């Protein structure tokens, strides 16, 4: 089981989404920024570190919105914790992704998201969580 913290970085009715590079597993699929929780880190600490590494921002980590456990068909399992981020400092800088973009919550289902995120995508698009 991989333990992951991810950010729902919101501004107005939009959220930041990121696309994996072609050389990564699950290539070119969309996800929310974040990453693995390292030993000794809280999920919030891990997420703040990952957002700095991936996007070059200092984020204020808000409340946990949802926790999802997902078993992938290839055998991997992930425990995802999603946190709201309403404030950050610094300019967004793409350090590891194919691309990132702001998109309206209701438009999220138009993107090919990772399987673990798809239930969350439906709920966000329906206005249920944020």
């Amino acid at each position: 089981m991989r333990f992951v913290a991810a950010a729902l970085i919101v501004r107005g009715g939009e959220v930041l989404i990121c696309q994996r590079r072609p050389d990564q597993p699950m290539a070119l699929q969309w996800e929310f920024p974040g990453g693995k929780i390292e030993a000794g880190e809280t999920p919030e600490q891990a997420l703040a570190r990952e957002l700095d590494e991936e996007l070059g921002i200092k984020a204020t980590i808000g409340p946990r919105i949802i926790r999802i456990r997902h078993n992938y068909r290839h055998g991997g399992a992930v425990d995802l914790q999603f946190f709201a981020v309403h404030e950050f400092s610094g300019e967004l800088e793409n350090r590891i992704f194919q691309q990132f973009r702001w998109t309206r919550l209701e438009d999220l289902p138009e993107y090919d998201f990772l399987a673990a995120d798809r239930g969350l995508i439906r709920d966000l698009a329906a206005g249920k969580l944020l």
Side-chain angles (χ1 to χ4, degrees):
M1 178 81 62
R2 277 190 39 229
F3 292 88
V4 173
L8 300 173
I9 303 175
V10 290
R11 66 170 193 197
E14 295 181 320
V15 64
L16 187 75
I17 61 173
C18 303
Q19 187 180 39
R20 290 180 173 225
R21 293 187 323 266
D23 61 321
Q24 292 177 296
M26 296 176 264
L28 300 177
Q29 286 191 298
W30 291 86
E31 63 183 348
F32 296 100
K36 186 177 172 192
I37 301 168
E38 302 289 349
E41 285 183 319
T42 67
E44 293 86 350
Q45 290 168 333
L47 185 53
R49 175 184 51 75
E50 289 282 349
L51 293 176
D52 184 29
E53 291 173 3
E54 294 179 354
L55 297 170
I57 59 172
K58 303 286 184 212
T60 301
I61 309 302
R64 185 171 72 187
I65 301 299
I66 194 168
R67 186 173 192 167
I68 299 169
R69 287 195 168 184
H70 181 79
N71 294 309
Y72 281 97
R73 274 182 272 168
H74 60 69
V78 65
D79 178 294
L80 292 159
Q81 296 184 59
F82 291 89
F83 293 85
V85 173
H86 295 281
E87 297 176 20
F88 65 87
S89 61
E91 285 294 314
L92 287 168
E93 179 185 334
N94 184 358
R95 295 182 174 172
I96 68 159
F97 299 106
Q98 176 75 9
Q99 63 176 314
F100 66 78
R101 68 177 54 160
W102 293 99
T103 190
R104 296 180 329 169
L105 294 171
E106 59 267 26
D107 294 337
L108 289 172
E110 297 173 16
Y111 295 88
D112 181 21
F113 271 87
L114 297 174
D117 295 348
R118 291 181 188 150
L120 170 65
I121 295 304
R122 283 190 296 276
D123 288 346
L124 287 171
K128 293 182 180 176
L129 298 173
L130 292 174

